[in-house]
Amino acid sequence: MPEPQPRTRQALTKERVVHAAVTIIERDGEAALSMRRVATELGVAPMSLYNHVPNKAALLDGVAEFIMTDMRFASDPDADWQQQTRNLARTFRAITRRYPRSVLLVITRQPKSSVGMHAMELVLASVRDAGFDDPTSVRLVRTFVSFILGAMMREVGVTDMVTEDGISAFKAELAEAKLTNVEQLLPILAVHDHEGDFEFGLELLIGAMSALPRH
């Protein structure tokens, strides 16, 4: 019987360090992230990390860059600006659902290299090509980012009232408090159609964009 071969240790790289950081953030939250925790995740000595990232701030920048780079925007040159906007918004939403905790770093930490700005380039090009002036283009991008992040936070923070008994008991409490509109619409409020809500809001924003002046 042949002797078992020793397992070859995978080389430590900046990419592995960043991926481990993303894993920790998604599993335990950004507050749990530290260089020591990343080292434990990778099974290496903490000091070995500093050959690839000089400090925690650089590690967080790496996470933000990873998230931005992982956005796979499919640009369709034949689509009109409304459909391009839909495609870009849906792609960004997909990344927020894949990395709901890490994606906030994209907003709070500006990527420090051009690699992480490819997605921003595509989005800004889309709205400028549609004929919006430069200040309006930037504001539109920020508005859509806020909308998508808000949708993400609502999606991960709510649960459905799954039982009719629970809804009935709550309606009785609302009736006693004379919250008539909430009571009457509770069966609808209690059901969360995240996909439908997102598409509804997206079309509202596109409709509002269509009413803005353009070149």
Side-chain angles (χ1 to χ4, degrees):
M1 178 179 245
E3 291 283 335
Q5 295 299 314
R7 183 181 299 175
T8 303
R9 174 174 288 186
Q10 190 174 356
L12 189 63
T13 63
K14 180 181 178 181
E15 288 72 23
R16 287 191 64 211
V17 174
V18 170
H19 289 178
V22 172
T23 298
I24 292 170
I25 292 171
E26 292 304 319
R27 186 181 62 216
D28 305 319
E30 183 186 343
L33 183 67
S34 68
M35 300 294 277
R36 186 172 295 277
R37 284 289 301 275
V38 173
T40 301
E41 186 78 18
L42 293 169
V44 300
M47 291 303 297
S48 64
L49 300 183
Y50 293 95
N51 295 323
H52 305 279
V53 286
N55 48 49
K56 183 178 177 180
L59 179 60
L60 291 174
D61 288 336
V63 170
E65 183 176 297
F66 167 79
I67 297 300
M68 292 292 288
T69 306
D70 197 42
M71 294 184 189
R72 300 289 183 254
F73 286 102
S75 180
D76 183 359
D78 297 326
D80 58 24
W81 70 265
Q82 292 96 331
Q83 189 57 45
Q84 288 188 35
T85 301
R86 293 184 185 94
N87 294 341
L88 291 167
R90 289 165 183 162
T91 300
F92 186 40
R93 181 182 181 231
I95 204 76
T96 66
R97 300 179 82 184
R98 190 151 63 245
Y99 306 106
R101 289 179 165 179
S102 299
V103 78
L104 294 177
L105 292 173
V106 177
I107 308 304
T108 59
R109 305 185 71 84
Q110 292 293 332
K112 299 294 193 300
S113 76
S114 61
V115 175
M117 298 305 290
H118 180 63
M120 180 62 72
E121 172 68 19
L122 288 176
V123 174
L124 288 173
S126 177
V127 289
R128 294 182 81 191
D129 289 346
F132 298 103
D133 62 42
D134 292 349
T136 301
S137 295
V138 172
R139 286 178 178 140
L140 284 171
V141 171
R142 289 172 177 168
T143 299
F144 271 88
V145 168
S146 298
F147 163 66
I148 296 167
L149 288 178
M152 175 201 74
M153 296 179 72
R154 183 175 181 277
E155 186 168 344
V156 300
V158 300
T159 56
D160 290 332
M161 295 181 181
V162 293
T163 66
E164 292 187 7
D165 291 342
I167 292 177
S168 298
F170 194 24
K171 286 186 71 172
E173 180 181 339
L174 292 169
E176 185 176 349
K178 301 187 185 311
L179 301 177
T180 306
N181 291 288
V182 179
E183 176 200 352
Q184 292 175 350
L185 297 179
L186 186 61
I188 301 174
L189 289 169
V191 177
H192 301 286
D193 176 12
H194 300 301
E195 194 72 30
D197 289 347
F198 178 82
E199 291 296 327
F200 181 81
L202 179 58
E203 293 305 319
L204 280 181
L205 285 176
I206 292 174
M209 287 177 68
S210 299
L212 292 174
R214 287 180 288 142
H215 299 316

